[in-house]
Amino acid sequence: MGVSEVENGINFAIFSQHATAVTLCLSLPKREKLDWQDGGMIELPLDPRVNKTGDIWHICIEDLPRSEVLYGYRVDGPRDWHQGHRFDSSIVLIDPYAKLVEGRRHFGDASAKLSKFLGTYEFESLPFDWGDNYKLPNIPEKDLVIYEMNVRAFTVDESSGLDPEIRGSYLELGINAVELLPVFEFDEMEFQRRRNPRDHMVNTWGYSTINFFSPMSRYAGGGGGPLKASWEFKEMVKALHGAGIEVILDVVYNHTNEADDANPYTTSFRGIDNKVYYMVDGNGQLLNYAGCGTPSALVNCFLFTSLKNFFTSCNVGTYNSLLAIPSTTQRNTLNCNHPVVMELILDSLRHWVVEYHVDGFRFDLASVLCRGTDGSPLNAPPLIRAIAKDAILSRCKIIAEPWDCRGLYLVGKFPNWDRWAEWNGKYRDDLRKFIKGDPGMKGILATRISGSSDLYRVNKRKPYHSINFIIAHDGFTLYDMVSYNYKHNEANGEGGNDGCNDNFSWNCGFEGETDDASIKALRSRQMKNFHLALMVSQGTPMMLMGDEYGHTRYGNNNSYGHDTAINNFQWGQNDVTWHEDNWDNYDSKFLAFTLHDNNGADIYLAFNAHDFFVKVSLPPPPPKRQWFRVVDTNLESPDDIVPEGAAGTGSTYNLSPYSSILLEAK
């Protein structure tokens, strides 16, 4: 499948069971702009008597360049929508197996918001050099600590101090595991292709996949394109592995970017064989179990939160019949347990493990992957089993988000073959309720902290199969959870109707930002309480990028469409002041700096590697605070480390030879 180099040329192969005609479209010269839609492509109709084997259409072409060729397909077939077909031969489609995808080069470039996407290939470059001493971290699941993050948002803010050409790219991503929000090719400008309530937004999260094999090309530094994106992704993985950090990808196999029948955005699967790639009902209409798309669909997506208790208390027959009811909002849902689609997903996963050396996957709305071709839940989903049993994927962490947007809530019950871990949504909800002070939660808190045995003490499952989290990318940040009782999503353009209503948050006495010192202090304590509980709980902890410094989205709990400081890591919030003006002195062996805290709890550190005393002039502490000595390595135990801090530090400190100090502003 896809493009491969063979002895006598370049071979192209694509699946379509129901197509009656397939045309390969090629653009040979290197182009600064994708003007191929204006007739600049070579079109080669495939003869089904020669170029078709079973349901695979294929052609081998001699003397093609080995790189910089753009390609796609026109596919025609039955036009009967009521049979589930959506063929349209006027559209040049992306090969589902394209390993690289070319489109606009710069993220969020509004001048190219209507740009098209095509597959490309590269057979000229030498293989990536992983290095002679390179090795996979292979961290045991029981030791994993996960940091959920967005590649672009981590460094794109100017406070990162990086060159603008490489901010927000793979190259400068730099816990023992990072879980990256989607990095498959997606169209961040999809909301702006037509007038709608969300046409002011840019899709920064990426849960709208165009292609399952190609890395997001606009994450390449300097608009370098798909090949550079592929190369830099490998550089990122190599660097993280060198630091002992594993790479887990958040993958979206439950739906794609191609939208619904009301506002289709046909780029690939829909036009190649809609009836195979997507779930359709008996009338050929698209089914919706992923809950993404129109504003009403986004509202539907969060209904399961309030319905899950009802669903889990139903008898099995009622439960299954309810779960098989399609949503009234049409949206594509990938037909994951169809044999052809299942093999596509497995091939995609293997590609990321073999080609890019990733260490695991978190499956978005994984309960969708547990549904049959008609949408009904399966007790032993073929795809889920195949992933668990696959030899190439055997070293990988596999993590399910065990619910979908039609109520299939499988926390603690996800089909697992003793391999699958789960995002433990019950842990999140129960910890939030206890720490904000809800009554009747003590017993369940004990269960959650000690490994959620009510959910995971089954067969050979272990506590580490519970991915414990308080905060994830969707929902409140940690700071917002202790600062807002209500979501504030007006900026999303949907009248505040999107996003989850059941946040189990507490604003500590005031909604939003405040100058009240007592409320700010309480919020700080609550954030520490949450983090402490998370880190001592049995299971695998996961924290969200930015929570370490108290990142705020100002109460927006569904910030997927904001390419701004709302989502971007604010490096200035981790501010450091270096007390040094003598950097070029080769003989200097003294260094001092202050780590600043949003709430005034600054920390001062100084290191003296000289063989003589150094009298230090201390910086003034924040207002209404004084310096307390927490560490002085020159002192005898127990005075060398005083966790609560020792008072009496003045404006100077006489630092002993070969010693260091840590002072805290209290």
Side-chain angles (χ1 to χ4, degrees):
M1 302 294 286
V3 180
S4 54
E5 189 173 37
V6 294
E7 184 176 352
N8 57 336
I10 305 293
N11 194 70
F12 298 80
I14 187 171
F15 164 89
S16 183
Q17 178 182 344
H18 297 101
T20 58
V22 174
T23 300
L24 175 65
C25 304
L26 299 172
S27 179
L28 301 186
K30 182 176 181 180
R31 298 177 183 274
E32 295 301 318
K33 295 182 179 179
L34 292 182
D35 57 356
W36 46 267
Q37 63 265 34
D38 297 325
M41 299 198 86
I42 300 170
E43 301 201 358
L44 302 171
L46 275 59
D47 183 347
R49 297 168 298 178
V50 178
N51 303 115
K52 187 182 180 190
T53 304
D55 294 326
I56 309 298
W57 300 72
H58 52 85
I59 185 171
C60 184
I61 303 177
E62 299 178 359
D63 301 322
L64 269 183
R66 301 177 68 220
S67 65
E68 299 182 351
V69 173
L70 305 179
Y71 78 100
Y73 294 92
R74 297 190 191 275
V75 182
D76 207 353
R79 300 300 177 101
D80 190 347
W81 278 41
H82 294 295
Q83 294 298 317
H85 301 304
R86 303 292 187 271
F87 291 106
D88 183 348
S89 60
S90 69
I91 302 172
V92 179
L93 303 166
I94 303 167
D95 176 7
Y97 274 80
K99 303 305 188 296
L100 300 170
V101 172
E102 178 72 87
R104 80 179 67 85
R105 287 294 182 96
H106 296 277
F107 192 95
D109 181 1
S111 68
K113 65 183 179 182
L114 298 180
S115 64
K116 306 295 185 181
F117 296 84
L118 281 178
T120 187
Y121 59 81
E122 168 59 52
F123 295 120
E124 286 189 332
S125 299
L126 294 174
F128 181 80
D129 182 10
W130 291 95
D132 295 335
N133 300 318
Y134 169 82
K135 63 179 181 179
L136 300 167
N138 287 324
I139 298 169
E141 285 184 278
K142 66 182 180 64
D143 297 328
L144 213 60
V145 179
I146 299 173
Y147 185 79
E148 190 191 28
M149 64 182 301
N150 181 300
V151 171
R152 175 173 169 79
F154 189 58
T155 61
V156 72
D157 194 86
E158 64 179 15
S159 64
S160 69
L162 298 176
D163 186 322
E165 287 294 302
I166 57 175
R167 288 181 202 155
S169 69
Y170 295 119
L171 195 59
E172 287 301 323
L173 188 61
I175 14 208
N176 64 17
V178 291
E179 182 176 302
L180 305 181
L181 265 62
V183 294
F184 295 1
E185 185 72 30
F186 64 92
D187 183 1
E188 75 281 8
M189 304 302 290
E190 62 179 356
F191 305 136
Q192 300 188 26
R193 301 185 73 86
R194 60 180 178 84
R195 292 187 62 82
N196 69 92
R198 299 184 292 162
D199 59 14
H200 61 292
M201 297 207 293
V202 173
N203 185 346
T204 60
W205 286 1
Y207 290 87
S208 194
T209 309
I210 285 180
N211 178 276
F212 297 116
F213 291 84
S214 56
M216 176 59 170
S217 60
R218 284 166 304 289
Y219 284 175
L227 181 59
K228 188 177 182 185
S230 173
W231 199 263
E232 289 184 359
F233 190 98
K234 293 172 184 176
E235 291 279 9
M236 176 192 71
V237 173
K238 180 180 177 180
L240 288 166
H241 282 177
I245 298 172
E246 292 196 336
V247 179
I248 298 171
L249 302 187
D250 192 336
V251 292
V252 187
Y253 292 112
N254 58 78
H255 74 281
T256 74
N257 67 295
E258 293 190 297
D260 53 22
D261 285 339
N263 298 286
Y265 178 23
T266 303
T267 58
S268 184
F269 312 96
R270 176 183 170 94
I272 292 170
D273 207 328
N274 184 80
K275 193 172 182 177
V276 168
Y277 283 112
Y278 295 115
M279 293 184 189
V280 296
D281 65 16
N283 297 315
Q285 300 302 306
L286 294 166
L287 299 181
N288 176 22
Y289 295 98
C292 301
T294 62
S296 56
L298 292 169
V299 175
N300 289 340
C301 183
F302 295 99
L303 290 178
F304 81 89
T305 308
S306 55
L307 291 174
K308 66 186 180 188
N309 291 331
F310 167 72
F311 279 124
T312 53
S313 65
C314 285
N315 65 62
V316 173
T318 304
Y319 179 63
N320 287 343
S321 63
L322 283 168
L323 294 181
I325 298 173
S327 168
T328 55
T329 304
Q330 295 180 7
R331 171 68 174 183
N332 65 75
T333 299
L334 212 63
N335 197 7
C336 299
N337 283 296
H338 185 287
V340 170
V341 184
M342 183 172 76
E343 194 59 34
L344 171 81
I345 293 172
L346 289 167
D347 286 343
S348 165
L349 294 169
R350 295 169 188 142
H351 175 70
W352 287 96
V353 172
V354 174
E355 183 72 15
Y356 293 101
H357 293 198
V358 303
D359 304 286
F361 304 92
R362 176 265 188 190
F363 292 79
D364 181 65
L365 296 181
S367 289
V368 171
L369 281 57
C370 298
R371 294 183 179 273
T373 55
D374 63 352
S376 60
L378 303 174
N379 291 326
L383 175 60
I384 299 300
R385 183 186 187 280
I387 292 171
K389 300 292 185 180
D390 190 84
I392 292 175
L393 305 179
S394 61
R395 73 167 183 84
C396 295
K397 280 74 177 176
I398 48 176
I399 303 168
E401 183 183 32
W403 49 78
D404 65 18
C405 293
R406 293 295 296 155
L408 188 51
Y409 190 79
L410 295 175
V411 173
K413 300 186 290 292
F414 192 84
N416 57 80
W417 286 271
D418 297 323
R419 278 271 282 127
W420 283 82
E422 300 173 11
W423 269 24
N424 189 344
K426 292 186 177 181
Y427 177 96
R428 172 199 60 203
D429 295 348
D430 292 339
L431 266 288
R432 288 183 178 191
K433 291 175 185 177
F434 178 87
I435 289 180
K436 81 183 184 71
D438 284 5
M441 297 302 299
K442 180 167 63 174
I444 194 64
L445 174 73
T447 299
R448 295 290 165 255
I449 286 180
S450 58
S452 294
S453 60
D454 60 328
L455 302 175
Y456 300 107
R457 193 167 63 181
V458 180
N459 299 328
K460 295 181 181 180
R461 302 196 87 185
K462 303 294 184 184
Y464 57 71
H465 287 125
S466 170
I467 307 298
N468 297 333
F469 66 105
I470 309 292
I471 302 295
H473 65 277
D474 48 355
F476 281 151
T477 65
L478 185 61
Y479 177 89
D480 288 356
M481 194 176 61
V482 300
S483 304
Y484 294 90
N485 286 349
Y486 310 101
K487 64 184 182 183
H488 295 267
N489 295 1
E490 293 76 17
N492 297 354
E494 299 180 34
N497 291 318
D498 65 308
C500 187
N501 293 318
D502 298 322
N503 297 293
F504 307 118
S505 61
W506 176 45
N507 63 19
C508 297
F510 186 86
E511 186 74 357
E513 297 299 311
T514 179
D515 293 326
D516 188 305
S518 61
I519 292 177
K520 292 172 71 174
L522 176 57
R523 289 174 176 175
S524 178
R525 292 201 304 275
Q526 287 290 81
M527 287 192 287
K528 294 175 185 177
N529 292 336
F530 278 118
H531 193 68
L532 176 63
L534 176 64
M535 290 301 167
V536 301
S537 295
Q538 296 299 299
T540 301
M542 182 186 79
M543 62 179 292
L544 175 66
M545 175 187 89
D547 279 348
E548 64 269 37
Y549 66 79
H551 183 84
T552 182
R553 296 175 183 154
Y554 304 100
N556 191 324
N557 74 350
N558 194 30
S559 63
Y560 63 93
H562 298 282
D563 190 30
T564 66
I566 286 179
N567 281 316
N568 298 338
F569 194 94
Q570 299 300 295
W571 291 87
Q573 299 293 322
N574 291 340
D575 199 13
V576 179
T577 297
W578 300 96
H579 305 295
E580 180 61 64
D581 57 8
N582 201 19
W583 291 105
D584 296 327
N585 186 345
Y586 181 79
D587 295 321
S588 177
K589 303 175 184 179
F590 175 83
L591 182 67
F593 57 95
T594 299
L595 298 173
H596 298 287
D597 176 78
N598 286 341
N599 297 307
D602 289 5
I603 292 175
Y604 173 89
L605 297 102
F607 299 86
N608 180 19
H610 288 293
D611 56 3
F612 52 82
F613 282 86
V614 174
K615 189 173 184 179
V616 181
S617 296
L618 299 177
K624 300 181 180 179
R625 291 178 181 255
Q626 58 179 298
W627 291 118
F628 282 68
R629 188 194 76 242
V630 178
V631 176
D632 185 337
T633 59
N634 177 62
L635 301 178
E636 297 293 327
S637 181
D639 295 327
D640 56 341
I641 300 177
V642 184
E644 69 275 12
T649 301
S651 60
T652 61
Y653 199 102
N654 204 22
L655 191 57
S656 302
Y658 301 110
S659 66
S660 55
I661 61 171
L662 185 154
L663 310 179
E664 182 180 4
K666 305 182 69 171

